[in-house]
Amino acid sequence: MQIKGTTRVCGLIGNPVAHSLSPFIHNKLAQGMGIDLAYVTFKVDGDKVSQAVNGAYALDIMGMNVTVPHKQAVMDPIVEIDPLANAIGAVNTLVRVDGGYKGYNTDILGLKRELKEAGVDLKNRDVVILGAGGAARAIAFLCASEEARRIDICNRTVEKAKSIEEAVKTYYKTDYNRDIDIRSKQIENYTFDGPDGYLVIQATSIGLAPNVDDVVIEDPKFYERAEVGVDIIYNPAETKFMKLMKMHGAQACNGLMMLLYQAVAAFELWNDCQVDSKVIDSVRNELIDEMKKPNIVLIGFMGSGKSSLGRWIAKNHDYELIDTDEAIEKKEGRSISDIFETDGEDYFRNLETELIKELSSKKGKIISVGGGLPVKEENQTYLKQAGKVVYLKASLEELVKRLSGDDKRPLLKGSDLKTKIESLMEKRKDIYSSVSDIEIDTTGREFEDLYEEIINN
Ligand code: NDP
């Protein structure tokens, strides 16, 4: 969307903010809804929160999100506060009103909508909340406000769970004369001492990438007895907690929709609108793509190990493998040798260009690139756009060893394999070097070792 004189500004204050997905989500929502709004991040130091909020108001900024560590501090400079956000003790959204901003907590609105979409009704349900941090606190209030039957709040530091228990009980007794069945528990050796079929909301930071094999409760019985599990973590898309839930027959979802819906709730408050469900679906799909890992692009001479390393990385590290030669053969329904013989090399190179151009806008793929593809100048730009370009190298002797007896390569057909490889290598090696981000010698090395080097460089 073009920034104009009329464009309204919304933003995020926190520290750090550079990693945030909120600009991506809000700018997509604005675009989808045709609203003239730009969303940016503001890194604000702890002692400048009041100045930042007052300055934002003076600058006519329409609304703000607030993230860690300012969700409490921001309650000071605002002029009004939603009662539930006040009880939770954390504000993540500021809406412009007369004389200042009003604070809300849309995290709980996000989770509420995610649960509704997943067909999970909190009313009369037994809920187990794992964790007692900021997110768990908001979730406990949501469960109470939606009339869950019983809420167990389990944490490593049980005092924190106890403080949430007391805050929830006091708020609902004082303001609504309701007694809430909320019990604080030690998470170690926890079992639910009520009936089976409970809902578990995983709100600890355990299992967050890169520690994807961690889970806060291991006991299989805990998962067997549960009916639904929601992990509010969204990176990775499937946490160990979710895997265990599914393995024991329970429904499981991650926190991505909570993240998206808390943004939608804020966007609706700022713009006094209801975001179209088609726009939400499209932003969700774009968000899923955005969160995928950047592509790894393997280039190098034939026989350098691109296909076998690519296959191994895809299998062991959750990437989708695209082998450009195989993709072209599949699309054309014939072998590369046939394509060369019938339509010539130029025709084949154009197919490569089309494919690498298409792949340059994707994510989460390991792309094993045909040896001649980087030679064409046009392809070099697309390769660089496609991801981290890794030049896999092997010595001439090693290549001869790997390629002898291989009759599928049109450019190596005929006698004197060594001279052919040597002359092709001579023509291509500088191009491979110039187009790559890193160069790796593959001779005698394990795949895991090569993968580590790729990821860490
Ligand atoms: P906090 O830092 O406030 O709380 C962290 C929680 O994790 C605490 O309960 C803490 O226990 C527990 N924890 C941390 N390390 C361990 C450990 N080694 N063993 C046992 N428990 C541990 O974080 P938040 O509440 O703000 O966020 C929690 C998670 O939820 C984060 O991963 C965050 O990314 C995600 N989140 C997702 C949202 C979404 O929109 N989907 C929104 C907000 C958060 P203790 O108190 O004992 O230290």
Side-chain angles (χ1 to χ4, degrees):
M1 186 166 291
Q2 204 193 338
I3 307 277
K4 297 177 282 198
T6 51
T7 304
R8 298 299 307 271
V9 176
C10 286
L12 170 72
I13 61 170
N15 191 2
V17 285
H19 65 287
S20 171
L21 286 165
S22 293
F24 181 88
I25 299 173
H26 282 285
N27 289 314
K28 293 280 176 197
L29 290 173
Q31 205 176 348
M33 292 296 290
I35 291 178
D36 185 15
L37 179 155
Y39 185 102
V40 289
T41 60
F42 301 104
K43 180 168 163 278
V44 173
D45 288 337
D47 57 345
K48 304 252 169 32
V49 175
S50 290
Q51 271 172 271
V53 171
N54 294 330
Y57 190 76
L59 286 168
D60 198 26
I61 287 180
M62 190 160 75
M64 307 274 273
N65 280 136
V66 185
T67 189
V68 177
H70 304 326
K71 287 186 184 185
Q72 283 82 32
V74 81
M75 291 166 76
D76 248 4
I78 57 183
V79 294
E80 232 183 292
I81 185 159
D82 171 71
L84 199 51
N86 193 30
I88 293 167
V91 158
N92 79 327
T93 299
L94 305 185
V95 177
R96 202 177 169 81
V97 291
D98 275 350
Y101 291 102
K102 177 172 179 181
Y104 292 84
N105 187 311
T106 65
D107 280 338
I108 57 168
L109 300 176
L111 183 62
K112 185 174 162 183
R113 196 150 163 188
E114 165 159 15
L115 292 172
K116 193 168 165 229
E117 299 266 308
V120 180
D121 193 352
L122 285 169
K123 197 173 168 116
N124 292 327
R125 240 188 201 278
D126 293 330
V127 187
V128 176
I129 302 171
L130 305 179
R137 189 178 170 92
I139 292 165
F141 274 91
L142 171 70
C143 295
S145 87
E146 296 297 304
E147 299 176 26
R149 182 168 54 193
R150 168 176 165 184
I151 307 158
D152 275 16
I153 179 146
C154 316
N155 201 38
R156 176 180 60 175
T157 317
V158 79
E159 297 73 34
K160 284 205 209 160
K162 189 85 200 150
S163 117
I164 296 177
E165 177 191 323
E166 278 160 13
V168 170
K169 279 183 172 159
T170 309
Y171 175 72
Y172 284 94
K173 189 70 191 168
T174 316
D175 285 28
Y176 298 93
N177 198 23
R178 273 179 58 206
D179 290 311
I180 305 293
D181 184 356
I182 175 167
R183 311 174 192 193
S184 42
K185 306 274 180 179
Q186 169 57 244
I187 205 162
E188 205 185 339
N189 300 323
Y190 171 79
T191 50
F192 184 69
D193 58 6
D196 291 359
Y198 44 84
L199 160 70
V200 186
I201 304 179
Q202 199 306 111
T204 74
S205 42
I206 301 293
L208 193 64
N211 304 312
V212 298
D213 294 325
D214 293 352
V215 66
V216 74
I217 292 185
E218 300 265 4
D219 181 11
K221 284 204 187 67
F222 175 75
Y223 296 94
E224 268 165 37
R225 296 183 54 216
E227 193 183 342
V228 187
V230 179
D231 198 328
I232 68 163
I233 288 175
Y234 47 82
N235 180 21
E238 188 173 73
T239 59
K240 173 91 179 281
F241 167 84
M242 290 169 63
K243 286 189 178 128
L244 288 170
M245 277 288 170
K246 287 183 183 168
M247 199 189 289
H248 292 97
Q251 186 187 334
C253 50
N254 67 23
L256 190 72
M257 293 314 286
M258 174 178 171
L259 173 79
L260 177 56
Y261 285 135
Q262 64 76 26
V264 169
F267 190 91
E268 290 180 344
L269 283 167
W270 295 330
N271 295 291
D272 196 16
C273 69
Q274 200 172 355
V275 178
D276 200 273
S277 61
K278 282 199 186 113
V279 173
I280 295 178
D281 284 349
S282 129
V283 176
R284 176 185 42 209
N285 292 338
E286 290 181 273
L287 187 57
I288 289 169
D289 268 353
E290 176 67 16
M291 288 183 55
K292 284 183 183 157
K293 294 174 264 199
N295 297 330
I296 297 173
V297 185
L298 303 179
I299 64 167
F301 201 73
M302 315 171 209
S304 60
K306 291 169 295 181
S307 301
S308 43
L309 178 63
R311 262 194 302 277
W312 184 88
I313 293 179
K315 183 162 173 265
N316 293 284
H317 292 282
D318 192 26
Y319 283 83
E320 185 193 351
L321 174 67
I322 307 284
D323 181 307
T324 60
D325 286 348
E326 282 176 18
I328 289 172
E329 286 186 330
K330 194 167 164 212
K331 188 167 174 238
E332 289 283 300
R334 53 194 173 138
S335 70
I336 293 176
S337 292
D338 279 353
I339 300 173
F340 264 67
E341 270 164 35
T342 319
D343 296 295
E345 185 173 345
D346 282 353
Y347 178 82
F348 175 73
R349 299 287 171 218
N350 288 338
L351 294 175
E352 285 187 319
T353 303
E354 265 173 45
L355 179 61
I356 195 67
K357 186 175 173 187
E358 187 192 323
L359 292 172
S360 66
S361 62
K362 303 271 173 19
K363 278 191 166 184
K365 308 210 182 308
I366 175 113
I367 307 170
S368 165
V369 167
L373 188 146
V375 177
K376 192 170 162 189
E377 218 174 303
E378 189 183 357
N379 295 352
Q380 294 169 11
T381 316
Y382 295 129
L383 274 175
K384 285 183 179 157
Q385 282 168 7
K388 185 186 274 187
V389 183
V390 183
Y391 173 15
L392 296 183
K393 296 162 104 172
S395 65
L396 178 62
E397 291 64 37
E398 183 67 23
L399 290 176
V400 173
K401 204 164 85 191
R402 291 181 192 171
L403 291 167
S404 51
D406 185 340
D407 56 2
K408 289 196 205 105
R409 322 237 179 207
L411 296 180
L412 297 183
K413 279 198 170 150
S415 57
D416 201 5
L417 182 66
K418 189 173 177 189
T419 317
K420 282 201 171 120
I421 295 177
E422 201 170 12
S423 111
L424 265 179
M425 263 178 94
E426 205 43 50
K427 279 192 214 141
R428 291 180 178 175
K429 66 179 185 359
D430 290 344
I431 298 173
Y432 290 162
S433 282
S434 74
V435 90
S436 61
D437 296 302
I438 47 170
E439 303 186 15
I440 297 184
D441 194 335
T442 60
T443 315
R445 291 180 63 189
E446 299 283 332
F447 289 150
E448 183 69 58
D449 184 29
L450 295 172
Y451 175 70
E452 290 293 318
E453 188 171 340
I454 293 171
I455 289 302
N456 295 323
N457 283 287

